[in-house]
Every structure is written in C-alpha cells, then in structure tokens.
Amino acid sequence: MRALRRFLSRLHALFTRQQYERRLKEEFEEHLALLTEEKIRAGLSPAEAHRQARLKFGSVEALKDAYRDQRILPRIDALASDIVFGWRQLRKHPAASAASILSLALAIGAATAAFRLVDAVLLRTLPVAEPERLFFLATKVAGRESGSDYRDQFDYPTFRRYREIIADRADAMLVGIINRRDTVIGAADEPEKLYRQYVSGNLFTVFGLQPALGRLLTPDDDLTPGAHPVAVLSYDCWTSRFARDPGVIGKTFRMEDRHFEIVGVGPKGFIGTEPGEVADVFIPAMMNAEAINHSGWLWFRFWVRPKPGISPEQVLQPLQAALIHERRERLESFHSGTPRQVIDAFLSEKLSLLPAGVGTGRLQHQYRRPLLILSTLVALVLLVACVNVANLMTARTAARAREIALRVSIGAGRWRLVQLVLVESALLAIAGSILGAMFASWAAPLVTSMLRVPGDPVRLVLNTGWRELAFGAALALLVTLLFGLAPALRAAAVRPISALKGTGDPHSRRRLMNALLSAQIAFCILVLFVAGLFVSTFQRLTNRPLGFSPGRLLLIDASATREQPVQTWIQVADHLRQTPGVRSVSLSAWPLLSANRWTGFVRLPGRAIELRQPYFLEVSGGFFETMGIGLIDGRDFRAGDLPPRLKAPAQPLPGAGIVNETFARVFYNGANPVGRSIDVFQSKDLSAPMEIVGCVRDAAYANLREPIHPTVYLPMGPRTHTFFLVRTAGDEQALAPVLRREISRVRPDLRIYTIQTQNDSVVWHLVRERLLATLSLFFAIVALALAAVGLYGVLNYSVTRQRREIGIRMALGARVPHVVKGVTANIAVMICLGSAAGVAGSLLGARFLEAFLFEVKATDIGMVVMPVIALTGVALLAALPPAMRAASIDPAETLRSD
C-alpha cells in the first residue's frame, strides 16, 4: 500500500507540475534566505553572505532535478518533455511536417479502410455459439473464368438425402441464398424491397440464438411444405422499418403471392450468414414450394455442426461415399459415346467441409482475392509513405547533428536520444492516424458502394469496434518504427567531436537516404505496374463487343404457380407490345450475361459425339430483333417450331434450332450450317434430331470474360418461369412500373420477381474490374506523389549539404550543367537500381494476378515500360527545383558565409 500511495503521489505531482515547481522554487528560496541570514549574523556583508550561502547550498538546478526524481515519475516526465520538444520541432518546420503527416494520413487511411473491408467480409465471426465448429459443404470443381475453385450451392433433395446420412454425426442446417423480394406490409399500395433468407427450422437452435422479441423459428415450423407461413424479422429490420414496435408480433405481410405472420424478432447483431448481405426476414425453407421438390435448383447452402467428439473428416466420409455412388448411378444415363475426359471430370469432383465461422456468400466468393490484392497494394503504398517520411526524418536529424552532439556532450544517454527522435516520429504517426481514420470513415463506405451495381447494393457492417481501434493503434506503432527507428539509431550513433567540428562523414547519411530512395522507387514501380494491368483489363472489357445492344432494354423476371404453355407467355408479350413506348418484346429462359449456363452434347451425322459442348438457350420468335443480334442466313423462329424432345427411344421429336457463327466455325469449318441436321442428346443413347433453320451473329452468353462459345438457340417450350425482354423507345426505367402493372392486370397469377435493365447486367460484370482499376489507379497516383516528395527531399538535402562544395567548384570555373550533373547523377543511379528491382518484383508477382487479367499479359513491353516512364517523368519534375537552386548558387556569397 505504501508503494501504491507513493506511485499515486508521484503521478499526482506529474499532473500538477506547475504548482509543484512553484512550491519547490519557494522552498529553495526559503533555504537560501535562511543560510544568507545565518552568514550575515556571522558578520559577513549581505552580498558576501549570499555568495557563501550559494556556494554551501550547491547547484540549485541539480538539487531540483534530484528532488524531482524523488517526487515525480522521471521517465514519464522525460517523455512529456520530449513530446513538448517534438511538437516544437514539428511547428518549426511546418512544410516538411505537413508533407509527412499528409503522406502518412493517405497511407494509414487507405490501410484502415482496407482492414475494415477485409474484416467485414472475410474475418468477422458470426455472433453465434461456437462459430469455430461451423462448416459448410462445398464441391471442388475445375477452375472457371471467375477463378472460383468450389461450388457451395445445393438443391433441397440433395440436402434431404445428406441430412439423413449424417444425422448421427452432425446437425445439418439449410441456409438459403439471400434475395430481395417485393413485399407489401399492412395496407400499403406500393411494394417495398425486403431481403429474404430461407432457413431450416433448426438453424436458430443450433446457432444458440435467443429472440429479442417473440420467438424464433423451430424445427416444427419446417416439417410440412407450405404449412407454416411464419417469419422472423431481423433486429435491424425491426429497428429501421418498425421503429422497434413491440406490437409487430402477429402482424402479417405479403411477399410475392403469399402472406406471412411475424412471430418474432432475431437477436441484435445477427443479420444472416452472408457477409455483404443483410437479411430482413427469415422464413422456413419448407415455404419455398418451388425448390423443395426440384432437383437441380441450386438455391441453398448446406451447413453442418459436428456433434461433440466427431471430427469434420468423420462427417465428410459418408457424404463423399454417397456422392461417388450417385455419380456412378448417373453414369448409366450418359451416352455410350460420351468422351472419356467428360466422364473423368464428372467422377473426379470431391466434397469438402470448409470453415463457416465467418459466414459464406457470393461477396466472399467473388472478392476474396481482389480484397487481398488491394490490401497488398495498400501495404506497398504504406511502405512508400514510410520510406518517404524516413528520408525526411533522416535529413532533419542530419541538420540537427550539432544539437544532438551537444546533448551527448553534456551527458545525454544514447537511449534518451533514440526516445527523443522516436517521440517526434510518434507525433507524426498519431497525427497521420487521426487524419487517416477520418479518411477511412469516408473511404470504406465509398468502396462498399463500388462492389455492386446501384440496384443491388452491398450492405456491410462497418461499425467501429475494438478490432478497428486495436488495428489503428498497432498500425500507428508499426509506422512509427518503420520510418522513425532508422533516423533515431543514426542520431544516437553521432560522434560529438566530429559533429561539433563539422568533420563527420556526410556520405554515410547520404548512403542511407539513397538506399531508402531505391526501396521507395521499387515499391512505387510495383504499384504502378499492378495499376497498369488492372486499368488495361478494365478498358479491354469495357470496349469488348457484346454482339447485341444493351441500351433501352428491360429484363422482367416472371414466374407462374404451375407450368404454362408457351402460348400463354406469348399472349402476355403481345399485350406488352401494345404499351406506348415499347418497340419490341420477346421471351428468353434467362437473359444474356446472366451467368447462367446450359450445356449439352451434340453429334453431327457420321461423326462421334463432339467433345466440346455448346451452350443452349430457349428463346421466342423476335428474340434476335429485340436483342439487336443480326441474322446472317436462314430465318427466325415461327409458330409451330419445337425444340428437340424425347418421349421414348423410338419416338424422337425433331426440332428446330438457330446457331451462332462460332458454332458454324467450330463444327462446320465456317461453312453455312442452315438446312443441316444434328443430334441433340438428353440422356443415354437418346437423342433427337434438330434442323438448323438459321445462323446469327456471335453474342456474349454467360459473362464478358469467356470467349464466344458455340451456341444453339432453341424454340421456347412450356415453362413455369421466363424473362420478358422489352426494347423501349425512351427511358426504360420510367416504363418499368407501367409494365409491372400491365402484367398484373392481364395475368394476376404471374409473379414479377425483379425488373432490371440489360445495362445493369453488363455493369455488374464489370464491377470487380472497375473496383480494381479505380483503386489501383488511386494508389498509383498516391505512390507517384509520395515518390516525388521523396525525390525532392533527397535532392534538396544533397544540394544543402554540398552548397560549399558547389560554390568552390563554380568559383574554379565549373559550368552549370556539370554542377547539376554532379547533384543528380547519384540520384539517377538510385532511380535506375530501384526501377530494376521494381520491374523484377513485378514480373515475379504477376502470376498471382493472371486470373484477373483480360487480353493483357504482364510481360507486354508496354506494361513494363509505362511505370518506368511515368516515374522518370515525376523524377524530372521533382529534380527541377533543387537543380535550379544548385545552378543559382553564388560562389562569392557562399565562400564569404563559410
């Protein structure tokens, strides 16, 4: 307790420093007065008595320091003194301090924003019980254009089978994909958009969640199809839409054509299982009547939690055995001539259990690697900023060499000098962190808005918590050490005699600054190289011909409660065609660039089954006119055309089809395919003939990245779900609500899921590339600006240090070009070395970016040369002011001043 009281007393004295100093001064003056009075009584004169008293008393300042060490915390006191002195130094050099703080603010802000995004998408665990024991099932597949290496979506029948297989080993949960749906709440006339997620009834129980109001879903709610139209609101939806009204329990809402009763509100913080998507409503999976009995409708994810004592491998083993058994059974439906490569690929797929503690979703799948790449770019920019500030700090400590030498001469320790410089560096880092946090608070939401198209926004939780605060503190400490440690150690190693005489080795500091400059140039080249690749990729994709016209085209996603003949859909299309402002209407199973794919085998007469499988798409007559796809030869579909169908081996139904140019080139060597027949396979040894009645221009099918694929367009058959493609004469967005009302009026039984523009679909395919191009270009500009400041600082320091030498040379007849060359030659060498290292590093790391490039190679001469040219131009601009300053030195004035 005595030690604690002593510590608290010293701490209190530290915060009442002025009062303590005043009392200490008064106490020492009182002691001196008593000694002086004693000497006067001994017969000395007042002046002599005061002198003798001072001699006997000793050094007042030394005694004060001794008393301070006893009464306050000396280390904290020294630290406070260094903070005051460091602040004065920053104010003494406002331009250099402002440049350093701004450099650090941009880099730290970018790093903080990147961490907030990575944390929200990839790192933040779900607020559930034991998230580390959650896994989701995935099928490992061959690499696709998207770069994904697994598929994590299953149909409900598969979930039902697998759940029974592992019932004794794990709790199986069904987690639907979050979708936005039209919802009418209360007596509202216009629907609003709510995000719905189908889940199995045991999800909340297994997650260990408790309701904020009412109750959560239970297994009993998920037993019978369509029997329990109940819903649980998320806490966020309850707050934003219902203002936390406790009377919400028992209310109903209509989503699509079904009414649901609200039975509870989920716990605060739980917004679903997909980062980037916030579920508003949770509904039992059995209420999804369309999917629960349909194989191949991949609308769900399969989550498991192994029971105590059971490992994930023990859960996976029976599932993998079931998959192999299913695949071997399905082989019996394959045609006997199916290529061996296709069979091997079909049998080689494997199941995996992947950690689900941080959730899983489309955003993670699509942006995991891009976010890691952007984080790497941010780290490079941070290094460039730190090297830049380190050079400025080195130059500043070099200018203060005599001051530091004097401190050493009067007894300052080496660690004290290190602390002095590190405190100044910490002040810069703290100021940069504060401004960087402000920048990150604006930048993170901005980047989030760039992850999707405006009609399909990403909703990330970017709340500032202890994780962000801890990251900010750790980053400030790291930055302080990165740019402050080297100058601090250099300052502590100063030799007092050499520094005071001015005979120290100036080349040692210059070598350090040059080495830092070379590293800065190398990092900058890396950032510029990556930015060039991403910007070129975005430009190539943006300018890629689509083969159709996306402007003024609406895509209306419609569905019926049961299968409808194609004539029913065509009647609705004919009605829409009469709407003012509509130019043409057609039907399609799904729109182009929707990421959907349907492949199948074909066989040309007299040949084996083709190894390459073409794409198929069912469309109606007028599709090519609506889409703006040119007809090369033949005709469009007309009434009576049917797709090839099979009822029995002996009853093949011939059909009609239209192929694209690539189909003709691949299967007919470019010859006209119109009038020829091919066999289309749908099961083992069962095929139906198809006559090619037309050939059309190539058009992008699934996405913008893949090359044009052989494509077969088939006449549309009976369907429960289709898309209306509407070409408008004016603003398509303004016509969307009119078309929605017309469809509901003519066919009230049809449900409209979404209405979007074809342009939005195109933009959606460019979102990732636009994000990478925009942010990498921003980082490249920041890196160039930092490199310019660093080059200027090093050259300016070089001119200052060589001012006397330059004056002597000019007095002896040296010309301006020689003087400028002498100042910049060494820097030019460092730039060349840094550029070479940066180019080598860029080429080595380019292989990690190949999956994100399109028609661009890292080894293209332009990709390698452009960063060097850009940096050279910036270097020339940065070198101009110091070079002009060196050329304008007056020899006589310089020698006179020295």
Side-chain angles (χ1 to χ4, degrees):
M1 292 299 293
R2 182 180 301 175
L4 178 61
R5 286 197 299 270
R6 187 183 303 114
F7 173 79
L8 293 177
S9 175
R10 291 189 174 195
L11 189 64
H12 180 266
L14 188 65
F15 287 99
T16 58
R17 179 71 177 268
Q18 292 182 348
Q19 299 177 10
Y20 173 75
E21 289 293 334
R22 185 172 61 252
R23 291 196 303 268
L24 191 63
K25 180 181 178 181
E26 292 173 354
E27 184 177 349
F28 274 85
E29 287 177 351
E30 184 178 350
H31 280 290
L32 278 174
L34 291 174
L35 279 175
T36 302
E37 184 179 347
E38 182 181 340
K39 297 294 183 182
I40 291 175
R41 287 198 299 268
L44 297 178
S45 64
E48 182 64 20
H50 183 70
R51 189 180 72 84
Q52 291 290 335
R54 292 292 297 256
L55 289 174
K56 183 178 180 180
F57 198 77
S59 173
V60 175
E61 294 303 323
L63 288 173
K64 284 184 177 181
D65 286 340
Y67 272 86
R68 290 190 190 103
D69 290 345
Q70 296 176 9
R71 299 292 299 274
I72 63 176
L73 299 173
R75 293 185 179 179
I76 298 180
D77 182 60
L79 180 62
S81 300
D82 289 346
I83 292 175
V84 173
F85 182 79
W87 175 248
R88 290 174 180 172
Q89 289 296 315
L90 296 183
R91 293 180 60 185
K92 186 178 179 180
H93 306 90
S97 300
S100 301
I101 292 174
L102 183 60
S103 301
L104 292 173
L106 286 173
I108 292 175
T112 305
F115 173 78
R116 293 183 69 189
L117 291 172
V118 171
D119 181 59
V121 176
L122 304 177
L123 302 179
R124 188 173 299 169
T125 56
L126 297 176
V128 299
E130 298 181 301
E132 70 281 357
R133 294 184 58 238
L134 288 175
F135 300 88
F136 69 93
L137 192 66
T139 304
K140 294 287 185 178
V141 296
R144 294 181 177 176
E145 294 80 1
S146 61
S148 302
D149 59 352
Y150 66 85
R151 184 183 67 246
D152 62 348
Q153 298 173 17
F154 297 86
D155 55 27
Y156 192 89
T158 300
F159 166 76
R160 189 162 42 210
R161 291 196 307 273
Y162 286 2
R163 179 180 57 186
E164 294 174 359
I165 292 173
I166 61 172
D168 60 335
R169 303 187 181 203
D171 294 312
M173 295 159 284
L174 189 76
V175 179
I177 299 171
I178 296 178
N179 289 309
R180 188 173 61 167
R181 288 292 179 257
D182 286 343
T183 306
V184 177
I185 300 176
D189 295 328
E190 291 295 328
E192 56 185 285
K193 299 291 186 181
L194 289 185
Y195 288 81
R196 174 194 66 192
Q197 186 171 32
Y198 286 110
V199 298
S200 57
N202 65 336
L203 180 82
F204 292 104
T205 303
V206 176
F207 279 3
L209 300 176
Q210 298 298 322
L213 186 70
R215 70 172 180 88
L216 301 178
L217 300 181
T218 66
D220 292 338
D221 296 322
D222 195 39
L223 295 177
T224 307
H228 293 84
V230 296
V232 171
L233 298 178
S234 71
Y235 190 92
D236 286 8
C237 180
W238 182 50
T239 301
S240 60
R241 178 60 182 81
F242 297 95
R244 299 185 187 178
D245 178 15
V248 73
I249 303 299
K251 290 186 177 181
T252 62
F253 63 86
R254 180 169 59 85
M255 182 173 286
E256 297 169 346
D257 60 345
R258 186 181 290 273
H259 288 79
F260 293 89
E261 179 187 356
I262 299 173
V263 297
V265 176
K268 185 177 182 179
F270 183 74
I271 55 175
T273 59
E274 295 187 40
E277 307 281 0
V278 176
D280 296 318
V281 179
F282 301 97
I283 296 175
M286 277 294 176
M287 297 304 299
N288 189 349
E290 291 182 326
I292 57 177
N293 294 317
H294 287 80
S295 298
W297 290 35
L298 309 180
W299 288 6
F300 304 101
R301 294 186 175 93
F302 190 111
W303 284 42
V304 300
R305 169 172 280 170
K307 293 184 177 180
I310 303 296
S311 67
E313 290 74 19
Q314 292 174 303
V315 176
L316 187 62
Q317 288 173 0
L319 295 179
Q320 183 64 43
L323 176 67
I324 295 174
H325 179 71
E326 291 171 4
R327 291 296 168 91
R328 294 194 180 279
E329 285 187 342
R330 288 181 59 186
L331 276 181
E332 297 179 0
S333 65
F334 280 39
H335 187 270
S336 56
T338 301
R340 188 64 197 178
Q341 297 93 320
V342 175
I343 296 176
D344 291 341
F346 181 73
L347 294 177
S348 65
E349 293 186 1
K350 295 183 178 180
L351 293 176
S352 297
L353 281 179
L354 303 179
V358 297
T360 181
R362 292 172 291 183
L363 196 71
Q364 284 183 332
H365 219 170
Q366 186 177 6
Y367 287 103
R368 181 182 300 274
R369 289 186 62 188
L371 284 176
L372 295 179
I373 290 173
L374 291 176
S375 300
T376 303
L377 288 179
V378 167
L380 291 174
V381 172
L382 186 64
L383 288 174
V384 172
C386 289
V387 171
N388 184 30
V389 178
N391 262 335
L392 294 177
M393 292 292 295
T394 301
R396 186 181 299 178
T397 53
R400 296 167 54 192
R402 293 190 177 185
E403 172 209 326
I404 294 174
L406 185 60
R407 289 176 178 271
V408 175
S409 300
I410 62 176
R414 300 291 182 181
W415 169 247
R416 190 73 168 78
L417 295 177
V418 171
Q419 176 179 305
L420 182 69
V421 179
L422 282 179
V423 164
E424 187 176 342
S425 302
L427 290 176
L428 290 174
I430 292 171
S433 298
I434 294 173
L435 292 179
M438 297 170 61
F439 174 73
S441 65
W442 165 81
L446 177 64
V447 175
T448 301
S449 67
M450 298 171 60
L451 295 178
R452 293 272 182 85
V453 296
D456 185 20
V458 167
R459 302 197 293 177
L460 285 177
V461 178
L462 296 173
N463 298 335
T464 301
W466 69 267
R467 299 162 69 94
E468 288 75 17
L469 295 177
F471 176 81
L475 187 60
L477 177 61
L478 175 63
V479 166
T480 301
L481 295 177
L482 282 176
F483 73 79
L485 190 58
L489 295 176
R490 296 289 302 180
V494 68
R495 296 181 178 181
I497 296 178
S498 300
L500 291 174
K501 289 182 177 181
T503 59
D505 181 14
H507 299 291
S508 61
R509 283 194 177 88
R510 197 181 306 165
R511 285 193 292 268
L512 173 62
M513 295 178 70
N514 289 340
L516 292 175
L517 178 63
S518 296
Q520 184 179 24
I521 296 299
F523 295 145
C524 188
I525 288 289
L526 274 169
V527 177
L528 292 173
F529 177 77
V530 173
L533 292 176
F534 287 150
V535 170
S536 297
T537 292
F538 177 65
Q539 290 177 340
R540 303 281 176 88
L541 280 172
T542 302
N543 298 325
R544 182 192 175 184
L546 299 176
F548 61 89
S549 176
R552 296 182 178 179
L553 187 62
L554 279 176
L555 313 175
I556 304 176
D557 185 1
S559 177
T561 54
R562 60 180 182 275
E563 187 176 82
Q564 300 290 331
V566 65
Q567 192 58 37
T568 299
W569 299 107
I570 291 177
Q571 289 174 358
V572 178
D574 291 338
H575 177 78
L576 294 180
R577 201 173 288 116
Q578 308 303 318
T579 305
V582 173
R583 292 177 53 187
S584 63
V585 182
S586 61
L587 304 172
S588 176
W590 52 75
L592 297 178
L593 297 182
S594 64
N596 290 314
R597 292 179 178 87
W598 170 22
T599 61
F601 291 105
V602 297
R603 180 177 60 189
L604 276 63
R607 291 164 57 173
I609 294 178
E610 299 292 339
L611 177 61
R612 186 168 184 178
Q613 302 178 58
Y615 288 152
F616 289 84
L617 179 62
E618 289 189 347
V619 300
S620 70
F623 170 82
F624 304 105
E625 177 189 356
T626 302
M627 296 299 299
I629 301 175
L631 182 66
I632 299 176
D633 195 13
R635 62 172 176 84
D636 196 356
F637 292 125
R638 58 195 179 197
D641 287 335
L642 297 173
R645 286 290 186 267
L646 300 167
K647 288 187 176 180
Q651 296 178 330
L653 301 178
I658 297 175
V659 300
N660 65 349
E661 293 175 278
T662 300
F663 187 97
R665 184 173 61 255
V666 170
F667 296 112
Y668 291 100
N669 295 322
N672 187 359
V674 176
R676 305 192 185 192
S677 293
I678 61 174
D679 292 329
V680 177
F681 286 86
Q682 295 181 338
S683 60
K684 180 181 179 180
D685 295 326
L686 297 181
S687 62
M690 185 195 79
E691 180 186 0
I692 300 175
V693 298
C695 182
V696 297
R697 299 290 181 188
D698 286 336
Y701 183 96
N703 62 53
L704 291 177
R705 283 184 167 270
E706 66 179 4
I708 299 298
H709 206 78
T711 304
V712 178
Y713 300 95
L714 300 176
M716 183 167 287
R719 301 185 62 82
T720 58
H721 180 267
T722 192
F723 276 83
F724 293 99
L725 312 179
V726 183
R727 175 76 64 181
T728 66
D731 182 11
E732 66 271 27
Q733 294 281 17
L735 202 58
V738 177
L739 296 175
R740 180 190 293 273
R741 287 194 297 269
E742 288 298 316
I743 294 176
S744 299
R745 187 172 65 84
V746 69
R747 288 300 300 264
D749 58 321
L750 297 184
R751 290 178 291 176
I752 307 301
Y753 288 133
T754 60
I755 300 180
Q756 64 177 0
T757 67
Q758 183 70 63
N759 272 327
D760 281 346
S761 180
V762 176
V763 170
W764 188 87
H765 284 274
L766 295 171
V767 166
R768 186 181 66 180
E769 283 68 25
R770 178 181 286 107
L771 174 72
L772 290 172
T774 303
L775 295 185
S776 62
L777 184 60
F778 169 75
F779 295 144
I781 294 173
V782 172
L784 275 177
L786 295 176
V789 173
L791 284 167
Y792 172 80
V794 172
L795 284 171
N796 190 60
Y797 168 78
S798 180
V799 171
T800 302
R801 298 293 296 179
Q802 300 180 56
R803 182 180 179 84
R804 184 172 181 272
E805 178 184 344
I806 293 172
I808 295 174
R809 289 187 177 186
M810 295 184 73
L812 295 176
R815 297 181 179 180
V816 171
H818 292 89
V819 171
V820 173
K821 180 181 178 182
V823 172
T824 59
N826 189 50
I827 302 300
V829 173
M830 294 301 104
I831 292 175
C832 292
L833 291 176
S835 298
V839 169
S842 300
L843 294 177
L844 288 175
R847 61 190 182 91
F848 297 104
L849 307 176
E850 291 177 353
F852 300 95
L853 305 182
F854 178 76
E855 296 183 355
V856 177
K857 293 183 178 179
T859 54
D860 290 346
I861 189 65
M863 295 294 101
V864 177
V865 171
M866 286 305 296
V868 178
I869 293 177
L871 193 59
T872 302
V874 169
L876 291 175
L877 291 175
L880 188 59
M884 293 176 63
R885 180 185 171 196
S888 62
I889 290 177
D890 185 355
E893 182 182 348
T894 302
L895 296 176
R896 192 182 306 114
S897 63
D898 288 339

